[in-house]
Amino acid sequence: MPYNDIDFNTHKAIPDVSNIAQVGTDTLEFYTLSKHTGDDTYRQLAEKGVRALINLAAPLPFLPAQVIDPSTGKFADKYVVSYAFAANATV
């Protein structure tokens, strides 16, 4: 799982929680990077993050929590958003 922020002065990740959407974004970006560079390492790294996410126990069936702690590789909370529900909800 990636960290969201990097300190460019020290070239180190800033430890903080991340969002599962970052895993999906990295998958697309790293697959494309592998394709254009011919280096499959990037694709393998992205797949590793996706597999880790898939193997985590979801708070609700088939709905993973939104926040993940990259240092532990586990969900940082049990907050779940159902976009299918949110799109049909009335306020």
Side-chain angles (χ1 to χ4, degrees), residues 27 30-31 33-34 39-48 51:
T27 302
F30 280 40
Y31 266 71
L33 187 58
S34 284
D39 185 348
D40 199 47
T41 303
Y42 305 111
R43 182 196 58 79
Q44 292 172 11
L45 288 170
E47 280 188 10
K48 186 177 175 183
R51 286 192 182 117

Side-chain angles (χ1 to χ4, degrees), residues 6-84:
I6 296 175
D7 182 337
F8 287 107
N9 292 318
T10 63
H11 303 284
K12 294 185 180 186
I14 299 171
D16 198 2
V17 294
S18 188
N19 188 292
I20 63 168
Q22 188 68 39
V23 176
T25 299
D26 285 347
T27 302
L28 295 172
E29 293 173 3
F30 280 40
Y31 266 71
T32 303
L33 187 58
S34 284
K35 178 182 174 184
H36 290 292
T37 63
D39 185 348
D40 199 47
T41 303
Y42 305 111
R43 182 196 58 79
Q44 292 172 11
L45 288 170
E47 280 188 10
K48 186 177 175 183
V50 170
R51 286 192 182 117
L53 180 62
I54 289 170
N55 289 325
L56 288 174
L60 294 172
F62 306 107
L63 290 173
Q66 297 297 300
V67 180
I68 197 159
D69 183 345
S71 65
T72 64
K74 297 184 181 197
F75 292 124
D77 64 17
K78 294 184 180 183
Y79 180 73
V80 173
V81 173
S82 172
Y83 294 102

